[in-house]
């Protein structure tokens, strides 16, 4: 495991005597989710400097603990990466939570470590099983169907149609087809490649949070099935933003 990305810049630049809350994030993506989290850390630092953080919000350090570079193929050839990915992430998060919870014994509740998993429906198997395991172990989950690109899309427009097969390509195409999103790479551009679009730039999401949250909550209300695989479309990344990062807007 390599908890190197996403560390709160405040911890990197100065040693403080102020007690901080540790937030550990396990994510399947190598670029999109980590770059989004980096943007959130920047937004929070700015809000802290302006004095606009929610009342009672304690300082925190965010660490990204897991991505494709560290878990791809580690589970052996008997299971495909699509079958194992959410389960592998959750299993690692549960083990880590047990360890850091023991180490934090005796701390006030507001300083207790928080562990999150960010994963997608895509075409993975055992999504509901992974979510159930996380819930029983006290690990938080932010889940998107078909993938994280839906959450990014909601910063630009509402979306309520199903994606059908659950694969991420359709959501990525919708995002890359939005003219406002394309213009974040250059005013004269009319398209952006899928690879280039994987990196989340702060100005691509800044100012769009409240709209994205409103669209997501309304969309999520339509789902009544107990099986997450059937929640199409769905995203509750806003929970991670508020409960994990400690932001209510950006």
């Amino acid at each position: 495991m390599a908890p190197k990305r996403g560390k709160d810049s405040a911890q990197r630049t100065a040693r403080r005597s102020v007690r901080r809350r540790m937030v550990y994030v396990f994510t399947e993506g190598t670029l999109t989710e980590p770059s989004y989290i980096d943007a959130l850390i920047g937004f929070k630092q700015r809000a802290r400097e302006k004095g606009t953080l929610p009342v009672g919000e304690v300082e925190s350090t965010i660490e990204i603990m897991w991505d494709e570079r560290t878990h791809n193929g580690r589970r052996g050839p008997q299971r495909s990466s699509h079958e194992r990915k959410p389960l592998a992430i959750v299993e690692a998060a549960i083990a880590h939570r047990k360890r850091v919870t023991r180490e934090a014994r005796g701390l006030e509740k507001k300083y207790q470590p928080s562990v999150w998993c960010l994963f997608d429906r895509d075409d993975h198997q055992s999504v509901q099983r992974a979510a159930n395991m996380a819930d029983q172990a006290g690990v938080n989950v932010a889940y998107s169907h078909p993938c994280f690109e839906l959450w990014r899309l909601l910063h630009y427009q509402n979306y309520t149609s199903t994606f059908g097969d659950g694969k991420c390509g359709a959501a990525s195409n919708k995002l890359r087809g939005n003219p406002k999103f394309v213009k974040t790479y250059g005013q004269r551009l009319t398209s952006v490649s899928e690879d280039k679009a994987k990196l989340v730039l702060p100005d691509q999401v800044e100012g769009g949070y409240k709209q994205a949250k409103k669209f997501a909550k309304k969309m999520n209300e339509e789902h009544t099935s107990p099986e997450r695989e059937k929640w199409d479309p769905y995203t509750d990344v806003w929970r991670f933003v508020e409960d994990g990062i400690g932001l209510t807007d950006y």
Side-chain angles (χ1 to χ4, degrees), residues 155-157 175-187 203-204 211:
H155 286 70
Y156 295 92
Q157 65 179 78
L175 177 65
R176 292 185 295 112
N178 186 287
K180 292 182 179 178
F181 175 76
V182 174
K183 296 302 181 185
T184 62
Y185 293 92
Q187 286 300 312
D203 62 354
Q204 292 176 342
Q211 170 182 284

Side-chain angles (χ1 to χ4, degrees), residues 91-126:
E91 288 167 356
I94 290 172
H96 188 73
R97 184 182 184 278
K98 289 179 180 178
R99 180 165 59 254
V100 297
T101 299
R102 286 196 303 267
E103 294 171 353
R105 193 170 298 158
L107 291 180
E108 293 180 60
K109 183 178 180 180
K110 62 181 179 180
Y111 295 119
Q112 290 289 328
S114 176
V115 180
W116 283 81
C117 289
L118 273 61
F119 60 78
D120 304 332
R121 170 64 177 98
D122 205 347
D123 56 355
H124 301 323
Q125 304 299 314
S126 303

